[in-house]
Amino acid sequence: MKLTKKEYPAGTTALQLLTARSQGPYQAFLYDCDGTLADNMQAHKETYVKVAASEGVAIDPAIIDEFAGLPIPAVVEEINKRDQCNFEPVTFVARKSALFYDEFILHTRPIPFVVDHLRLHAGKMRIGVVSGGARKMIQKTLQVLGIASLVEVLVCAEDTLNGKPHPAPFLLAAEKFGVAPEACLVFEDGAPGVKAAEAAGMRWIRVDHILQQLAVR
């Protein structure tokens, strides 16, 4: 669902627009983490680039945006295809995760209007975070953002055999809440997450599109 410029007044903030678009008969809000709640995609790109460079491979960081939302091993497999290299996904993920945790995670900043949206609805709506990242990493990120205590259900890479764009992570979150998939609204910033939400029978909002809508005024 998209709103045209005529459907919201001048001066509307990103939080106001996101709140307006998330009205409906929902029981649970499911947020992606990296790039949706956490403004850390540039840091993630840097860790991919550094790990690859340590093996003598120069990768285009734009590929990380292209496959935003995929589990990290799947992104590594896409890098292997694109750059004709042979990184072992498990080893690459371990090195990338250690680098990110040691050098970047404490500097994570929020995407303010999305974090504020979560805070605004905590206690009124069931709140979940569904991410393709490792649980240790996502838990720490939510702690740094100051919202860990507001998240009732956390689904991470270790929790399902298939990650986004497969619907399994979102369906598991709905199951943990004990609510129907159609009663969940998903907040995402990438195509794989949107595909996963649609496959799970859930409606969704691209938070990056909220900012794009406001920018065209």
Side-chain angles (χ1 to χ4, degrees):
M1 179 181 70
K2 293 184 179 181
L3 296 177
T4 66
K5 288 187 287 186
K6 293 180 180 179
E7 292 176 294
Y8 56 93
T12 299
T13 67
L15 176 58
Q16 289 170 334
L17 185 52
L18 184 60
T19 301
R21 288 194 55 192
S22 58
Q23 299 298 311
Y26 303 113
Q27 299 177 40
F29 285 166
L30 305 180
Y31 300 83
D32 178 43
C33 184
D34 299 334
T36 297
L37 290 166
D39 185 8
N40 58 6
M41 292 310 295
Q42 183 59 39
H44 276 294
K45 290 180 193 178
E46 290 181 25
T47 56
Y48 275 105
V49 170
K50 283 187 176 183
V51 173
S54 71
E55 297 294 329
V57 178
I59 65 172
D60 181 356
I63 194 173
I64 313 307
D65 290 324
E66 185 177 346
F67 296 105
L70 285 182
I72 297 173
V75 177
V76 176
E77 290 174 359
E78 294 295 338
I79 291 171
N80 283 339
K81 294 175 187 176
R82 187 72 56 86
D83 293 296
Q84 298 183 336
C85 46
N86 58 352
F87 293 119
E88 201 291 306
V90 173
T91 301
F92 192 105
V93 169
R95 293 184 60 194
K96 179 198 175 302
S97 296
L99 178 63
F100 186 82
Y101 197 89
D102 292 341
E103 295 188 15
F104 292 96
I105 200 165
L106 290 178
H107 304 290
T108 301
R109 295 291 179 265
I111 295 181
F113 76 101
V114 187
V115 170
D116 288 345
H117 183 272
L118 185 154
R119 291 183 183 278
L120 181 65
H121 292 89
K124 304 173 185 176
M125 194 76 59
R126 310 296 296 277
I127 301 294
V129 169
V130 180
S131 171
R135 179 170 292 269
K136 173 184 176 181
M137 203 72 62
I138 301 305
Q139 286 178 324
K140 185 64 175 180
T141 299
L142 296 176
Q143 289 170 6
V144 173
L145 295 178
I147 56 175
S149 64
L150 304 179
V151 177
E152 299 176 63
V153 164
L154 180 60
V155 175
C156 298
E158 304 93 325
D159 298 320
T160 59
L161 181 61
N162 296 300
K164 304 171 189 176
H166 195 278
F170 287 124
L171 291 175
L172 178 59
E175 180 183 337
K176 286 178 175 289
F177 278 131
V179 303
E182 58 268 24
C184 299
L185 179 63
V186 170
F187 300 84
E188 275 283 355
D189 70 306
V194 166
K195 290 178 181 179
E198 290 179 341
M202 299 177 182
R203 300 197 68 176
W204 52 270
I205 295 175
R206 282 281 296 261
V207 299
D208 51 328
H209 289 177
I210 294 288
L211 294 176
Q212 291 169 13
Q213 278 188 279
L214 294 175
V216 299
R217 279 196 172 278

